[in-house]
Amino acid sequence: MTDRRKVLVAIDALGSILRQEIAAIESGNFAQVVTFSAEKARLSALLEKQLQDDPQSVSKEVLQGLKDLIVRDSQHLQQAQLVTAEIIQEVSNTRKRHSAAGLYGPSGAKRDNSAIGRALVDKSF
């Protein structure tokens, strides 16, 4: 196989993985997204080596198409990461609101956490 052909095969394979990952993210199948990581890394390293050996083996248009897919995939991954962080924060806040944290002191006695505290009555006349 010629060097040009090898580069095109690597680009097609990486593009295919990126499209599959984008589809998995869009459908909410995050378990599948994890499976693409190793293959993306392998194909990226292979393609990088091939392009270092022969930078003229593929046209700029083909590389631009791959770059567009990479950017789109990156945006999807970043958005998924932000949403996941927001969900984790919301679950954490909900657990704190519904936990017994802070209700009991070090001795195990219940703390007085009333919002208004006890009303003091002035008994001196």
Side-chain angles (χ1 to χ4, degrees):
M1 190 180 310
T2 66
D3 286 344
R4 177 172 164 66
R5 181 74 183 130
K6 287 179 184 178
V7 171
L8 290 174
V9 167
I11 289 173
D12 287 343
L14 184 56
S16 176
I17 292 288
L18 291 170
R19 283 188 286 279
Q20 289 176 45
E21 187 170 60
I22 290 167
I25 292 169
E26 288 176 347
S27 67
N29 189 354
F30 295 105
Q32 187 180 12
V33 171
V34 175
T35 65
F36 297 123
S37 179
E39 185 65 7
K40 274 190 342 183
R42 185 188 74 77
L43 288 170
S44 296
L46 174 67
L47 183 58
E48 184 176 347
K49 182 184 180 318
Q50 290 172 339
L51 289 174
Q52 284 176 350
D53 293 344
D54 185 8
Q56 303 303 319
S57 62
V58 66
S59 71
K60 288 183 181 181
E61 291 79 21
V62 171
L63 290 176
Q64 183 61 44
L66 181 61
K67 180 183 176 188
D68 292 344
L69 271 175
I70 292 169
V71 167
R72 185 171 166 217
D73 184 54
S74 175
Q75 290 170 340
H76 277 69
L77 287 170
Q78 287 175 355
Q79 186 63 33
Q81 183 181 19
L82 288 173
V83 169
T84 302
E86 289 174 6
I87 290 170
I88 289 170
Q89 185 61 47
E90 187 61 34
V91 168
S92 177
N93 291 342
T94 301
R95 290 183 75 196
K96 284 179 186 174
R97 281 194 304 268
H98 296 286
S99 74
L103 294 180
Y104 298 93
S107 67
K110 189 170 181 178
R111 291 183 177 170
D112 181 21
N113 284 342
S114 63
I116 57 174
R118 294 188 178 149
L120 296 176
V121 178
D122 186 5
K123 296 181 181 179
S124 63
F125 286 95

